[in-house]
Amino acid sequence: MVDGQDPRGSIFIDPVAYANQEAWHSAAGELRRQAPVLRVAADGYTPFWAVTRYDDVFTVSRHNDLFLNTRNSVLGPDLQYELLGAMGIEPKTLIHMDGEEHRQHRNVTNTWFRPRAVAQRQAAIDNIAEEFVGRFRDLGGCCDFAQDIAVPYTLRVIMSIFGVPEEDEPTMLRLTQGIFGAADPEYLGDLSDPFAMVTTTIAEFEDYFNAMAAERRADPHDDLATVIANAQVGGCPMDRHATLWYFVIVATAGHDTTSFALSGGLEALLRYPDQVKALQAEPQLVVNATDEMIRWTSPVRHFLRYLTQPTTLSGVEVAAGDRLLLSYPSANRDETVFEEPMTFDIRRPNANRTIAFGGGEHFCLGSTFARREIRTLLPRLLATVEDIGLDGKPEFAQANFVGGVKHLPVAATLR
Ligand code: HEM
């Protein structure tokens, strides 16, 4: 932190802080009560305001003309963004656009993500879920649920609609972790430098998706890759940079997020054997349980917004041009919205008010997919076990953007 600045803001920057969820939530809870809009200044980072209350995160998300996305939407050292800019590969996804530009680009894939379109993929999701429940049984019910089931299952679902062949899934996984997990020593591999990891990863993505786009233009398939490769925006083909980043966001946003919700959701559920039994007895509870898992885990840790004119949030004056960090995990534990927010409860009456998917014009495009994936796998998995519990200590990712339980040793008695 910068000398003389409030050190409490370090929990939003330090990837290691997120790996201790109890300590993190305790610190965020203090901020919600005492400094809900906290100015954070740290070496190497342009200062930002950390917004921790539900109502403030909601308000900022909904007022898309007052709080803009264009510019860096994810917190990273200034140097990293300067480097990406100098290399001409600075991010430009849907998340980085506003207004008409954003609407036009979102329209490219919007129909693919509408509830009716997603419902048509249910049979495919069922088959993939069956396959992974089979894998769980083959492992005798003893496995690292996060790595053996949640990660490959959610990856398979999204890649199957995207059009990436199964043999390339490990590459997609590695590249996604190169962007989202760049600070976690487990994913850094031979590189000692997270910046280098991000730039290398983007260059690799570019090679892969340029080839894929050329292929889909020559030979269209019934998949998202074909839609993106052939997209028209404002009557012209979508530009090369935006096309690359469209591929990147679809390839990365859909699986780590959902797998962290699934693994972290199961981790929470296993703390309450009576809730496991309730779900086994009443599988229809899975709809609400899924929302509670997503509230509880909040796998996306933040996004940034930029203020166009001075405004006041929770009594704090924020100037035009300032940036705000929306803390979804904190907002999802706000005691003014969720009664006993630190308790996991699959019957929570307002679990569907989870703000883990954001809000307003950028509301998560894939939320219907994410919910369906969890709702499809969980009841099938629980139907196949007599009982299930932890078989070791869960481990959380060190990541300040997308994170959650990365290792979940479980042991089950199979039926
Ligand atoms: C539990 C799982 C997921 C969580 C927690 C999550 C969370 C989020 C959040 C917080 C945002 C930004 C919202 C905002 O700025 O207001 C977002 C945007 C987005 N998500 Fe998700 N997401 C999940 C799953 C998915 C899936 C399965 C996909 C499918 C590809 C996906 C694709 C996207 C896209 C494309 C955007 C950008 C939308 C835009 O800017 O218009 N997400 N997500």
Side-chain angles (χ1 to χ4, degrees), residues 61 64 69 93-97 102 106 109 113 158 161 224 246 249-251 253-255 257-259 261 294 297-300 302-303 305 326 328 355-367 369-371 373-374:
S61 303
N64 300 93
N69 277 46
T93 68
L94 288 182
I95 287 288
H96 300 81
M97 299 176 189
H102 172 254
R106 191 164 160 127
T109 55
F113 289 102
I158 198 70
I161 65 149
L224 262 177
Y246 220 123
I249 196 171
V250 174
H255 54 96
T257 47
T258 314
S259 75
I294 293 169
T297 54
S298 270
V300 175
H302 75 267
F303 270 117
R305 294 288 196 272
L326 306 183
Y328 304 114
I355 200 161
F357 293 118
E361 308 244 338
H362 292 275
F363 181 79
C364 175
L365 197 55
S367 64
F369 258 115
R371 284 182 159 123
E373 286 176 50
I374 299 173

Side-chain angles (χ1 to χ4, degrees), residues 190-348:
D190 297 338
L191 292 165
S192 58
D193 176 4
F195 298 1
M197 178 137 182
V198 171
T199 48
T200 314
T201 301
I202 293 170
E204 248 192 272
F205 258 138
E206 193 168 14
D207 288 345
Y208 186 92
F209 288 130
N210 280 344
M212 193 175 187
E215 227 174 78
R216 290 302 196 277
R217 284 178 196 129
D219 178 21
H221 291 27
D222 173 30
D223 59 24
L224 262 177
T226 301
V227 173
I228 297 168
N230 294 288
Q232 296 273 320
V233 170
C236 302
M238 185 156 67
D239 76 55
R240 204 163 169 259
H241 194 67
T243 305
L244 164 68
W245 281 102
Y246 220 123
F247 275 112
V248 173
I249 196 171
V250 174
T252 56
H255 54 96
D256 261 25
T257 47
T258 314
S259 75
F260 280 132
L262 190 53
S263 57
L266 185 64
E267 188 267 338
L269 184 66
L270 295 182
R271 297 184 205 178
Y272 302 93
D274 56 320
Q275 294 192 39
V276 176
K277 293 275 172 250
L279 257 177
Q280 285 176 311
E282 297 174 67
Q284 70 279 13
L285 278 176
V286 77
V287 172
N288 207 60
T290 296
D291 281 352
E292 177 66 347
M293 286 174 156
I294 293 169
R295 177 192 79 88
W296 181 261
T297 54
S298 270
V300 175
R301 305 312 199 191
H302 75 267
F303 270 117
L304 299 171
R305 294 288 196 272
Y306 295 80
L307 200 51
T308 56
Q309 28 177 303
T311 197
T312 304
L313 270 181
S314 279
V316 176
E317 282 178 25
V318 189
D322 281 4
R323 58 184 194 160
L324 303 159
L325 175 144
L326 306 183
S327 179
Y328 304 114
S330 170
N332 268 329
R333 303 282 177 105
D334 189 326
E335 34 290 280
T336 65
V337 175
F338 301 105
E339 213 173 293
E340 296 195 33
M342 301 302 169
T343 304
F344 177 85
D345 179 6
I346 57 167
R347 289 195 161 93
R348 179 176 293 284

